C-alpha cells in the first residue's frame, strides 16, 4: 500500500545512493527498482525497460521516478511518463532527497513527490565556519 520508486540514473549513481540510504535505514521502505543508463545503451531499449519497471513497482498507488540530471538521457526517458497520472518524475536526485522519501513511505504519489523536492532542496546548503 505504497508508491513504487524507480531510480533512473546514469551509470551507478542510483545504486550508490540506494546503498547509502539502505545503510542508514537498514531496509528500503518502498518497492524500488534501479535502471542505469550507460554510454553504450540505446535510449529506446532503456525506455522499453523503464515501461516494464514502472509496471512492476506500481502496486496501484503510482510510481515516483527519480532521475539524476534534468535534460539528460535518463530524464528524457522519464519525461515519456509525464502524461501518465500514475507517475511523477522528479529530477536532481541526491541522498537527502532519497532519505526524505524513505521517511514518508505511506504518502500519496503527489505528496511524496513534494517531499522528494523538499528533501533535495534542504540538503543543498553552503557550509560556513
Amino acid at each position: 500500500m505504497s508508491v513504487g520508486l524507480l531510480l533512473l540514473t546514469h551509470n551507478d549513481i542510483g545504486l550508490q545512493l540506494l546503498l547509502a540510504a539502505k545503510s542508514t535505514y537498514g531496509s528500503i521502505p518502498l518497492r524500488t527498482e534501479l535502471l542505469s543508463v550507460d554510454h553504450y545503451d540505446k535510449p529506446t531499449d532503456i525506455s522499453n525497460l523503464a515501461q516494464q519497471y514502472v509496471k512492476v513497482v506500481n502496486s496501484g498507488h503510482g510510481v515516483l521516478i527519480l532521475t539524476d540530471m534534468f535534460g539528460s538521457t535518463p530524464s528524457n526517458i522519464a519525461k515519456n511518463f509525464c502524461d501518465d497520472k500514475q507517475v511523477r518524475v522528479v529530477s536532481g536526485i541526491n541522498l537527502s532527497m532519497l532519505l526524505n522519501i524513505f521517511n514518508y513511505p505511506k504518502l500519496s504519489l503527489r505528496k511524496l513527490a513534494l517531499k522528494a523536492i523538499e528533501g533535495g532542496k534542504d540538503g543543498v546548503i553552503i557550509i560556513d565556519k
Side-chain angles (χ1 to χ4, degrees):
M1 182 173 164
S2 63
V3 171
L5 182 63
L6 174 60
L7 305 183
L8 178 55
T9 64
H10 289 95
N11 305 313
D12 288 334
I13 293 171
L15 173 63
Q16 295 304 319
L17 289 171
L18 191 60
L19 288 172
K22 188 175 180 183
S23 72
T24 301
Y25 282 95
S27 65
I28 305 301
L30 299 171
R31 175 72 192 263
T32 303
E33 289 291 339
L34 296 164
L35 185 52
S36 299
V37 179
D38 292 304
H39 69 278
Y40 52 81
D41 289 324
K42 294 180 182 176
T44 54
D45 292 343
I46 299 299
S47 185
N48 290 335
L49 277 173
Q51 289 175 359
Q52 293 173 24
Y53 281 35
V54 164
K55 288 178 186 174
V56 167
V57 298
N58 191 354
S59 64
H61 299 281
V63 176
L64 179 60
I65 300 176
L66 302 179
T67 70
D68 49 6
M69 190 175 91
F70 180 73
S72 66
T73 301
S75 74
N76 289 337
I77 290 168
K79 196 168 24 170
N80 293 327
F81 293 94
C82 287
D83 290 335
D84 186 338
K85 294 185 188 300
Q86 285 283 300
V87 177
R88 293 279 180 151
V89 178
V90 176
S91 184
I93 188 172
N94 60 35
L95 186 55
S96 61
M97 176 186 288
L98 196 55
L99 293 175
N100 208 40
I101 289 168
F102 288 169
N103 277 329
Y104 302 96
K106 299 295 182 192
L107 289 180
S108 69
L109 177 59
R110 184 179 87 52
K111 289 181 179 178
L112 195 62
L114 293 173
K115 283 293 182 186
I117 293 167
E118 177 185 289
K121 286 181 179 180
D122 289 350
V124 177
I125 61 171
I126 295 173
I127 300 174
D128 290 325
K129 282 190 173 188

